[in-house]
Amino acid sequence: MRYSKTHKEETRRKLMDSSRALVKQGGFDSTGVDALMAAIGLTSGAFYSHFPSKQALLEAVIAEEIDHSIDLLSVPPDASAVEALRRLNLYLSAAHARHPEKGCVLPALGAELGRASPEVRGIVEKGLKQLHKNLVNRFHSDEQAWAVMAQCVGALVLARAVKTDKTRNEILEANKHHIARQG
């Protein structure tokens, strides 16, 4: 059977997209190559025609996910205070808390990223510094920008850890109000 010229690239993209969601739901260490490939309807043997190792896939996934997280948390430099808070409120939403597979990688895999290879932690650090630089423009200090980043990620971790929607919403709303007072 002949494949199109773009088949390999399309399969790699499907693997990346599927892996992004699976990894944020179940963690990278606990998600095997078999599960990653089964999600796109292929056998694990095909994996190695796209990535030399599971570690290489993790690095590619994290690089894309960090970019996605920067997009979620960034505030355009010319944004009004109202627009900045609107963006942060979207980040601190119940929908974001309930659907880690669609959201920011930092609350989903934060602890796992801390145990990752130096290469992966370097990708994360580079992205965090880029996001920090963006938020300094809005919050006017290095310290406050780091604190807002940590507060947003931590609030989602806590909101995902609780059982009831009531408590989840209390956590998220409290953090939205606190950040609004800072900006």
Side-chain angles (χ1 to χ4, degrees):
M1 178 166 127
R2 298 204 92 159
Y3 291 109
S4 70
K5 291 179 181 180
T6 60
H7 175 75
K8 186 171 182 172
E9 183 179 310
E10 290 167 1
T11 302
R12 180 183 168 100
R13 172 57 25 216
K14 285 181 194 173
L15 176 58
M16 287 286 295
D17 291 344
S18 175
S19 296
R20 289 171 56 185
L22 287 171
V23 164
K24 286 189 287 184
Q25 285 178 316
F28 191 76
D29 288 340
S30 61
T31 306
V33 170
D34 290 342
L36 295 170
M37 295 305 286
I40 61 168
L42 296 174
T43 65
S44 58
F47 175 85
Y48 296 99
S49 66
H50 300 284
F51 293 95
S53 66
K54 189 177 166 190
Q55 176 66 29
L57 171 64
L58 174 63
E59 290 171 16
V61 165
I62 295 303
E64 281 190 4
E65 281 299 312
I66 288 295
D67 287 343
H68 177 67
S69 294
I70 290 168
D71 289 343
L72 287 172
L73 270 170
S74 288
V75 177
D78 59 344
S80 68
V82 170
E83 174 60 16
L85 290 175
R86 186 192 70 75
R87 288 194 64 142
L88 292 173
N89 284 344
L90 286 174
Y91 186 89
L92 292 171
S93 69
H96 191 193
R98 282 193 297 273
H99 298 285
E101 74 280 4
K102 295 178 183 177
C104 181
V105 70
L106 298 170
L109 294 178
E112 197 168 342
L113 291 172
R115 295 185 298 271
S117 70
E119 293 79 16
V120 169
R121 290 193 328 270
I123 292 167
V124 172
E125 183 174 343
K126 181 180 176 188
L128 289 177
K129 285 182 175 181
Q130 183 180 344
L131 177 58
H132 174 261
K133 183 177 178 181
N134 170 273
L135 291 177
V136 165
N137 292 330
R138 167 54 50 206
F139 291 98
H140 311 297
S141 81
D142 285 341
E143 184 178 276
Q144 204 167 13
W146 283 121
V148 167
M149 289 168 57
Q151 183 176 354
C152 287
V153 171
L156 271 178
V157 170
L158 292 178
R160 289 177 178 166
V162 299
K163 180 180 175 182
T164 66
D165 286 339
K166 181 180 184 296
T167 304
R168 178 177 300 109
N169 290 334
E170 287 174 358
I171 292 166
L172 295 170
E173 289 304 314
N175 282 277
K176 289 177 193 178
H177 291 124
H178 187 265
I179 290 171
R181 289 191 301 269
Q182 306 305 308

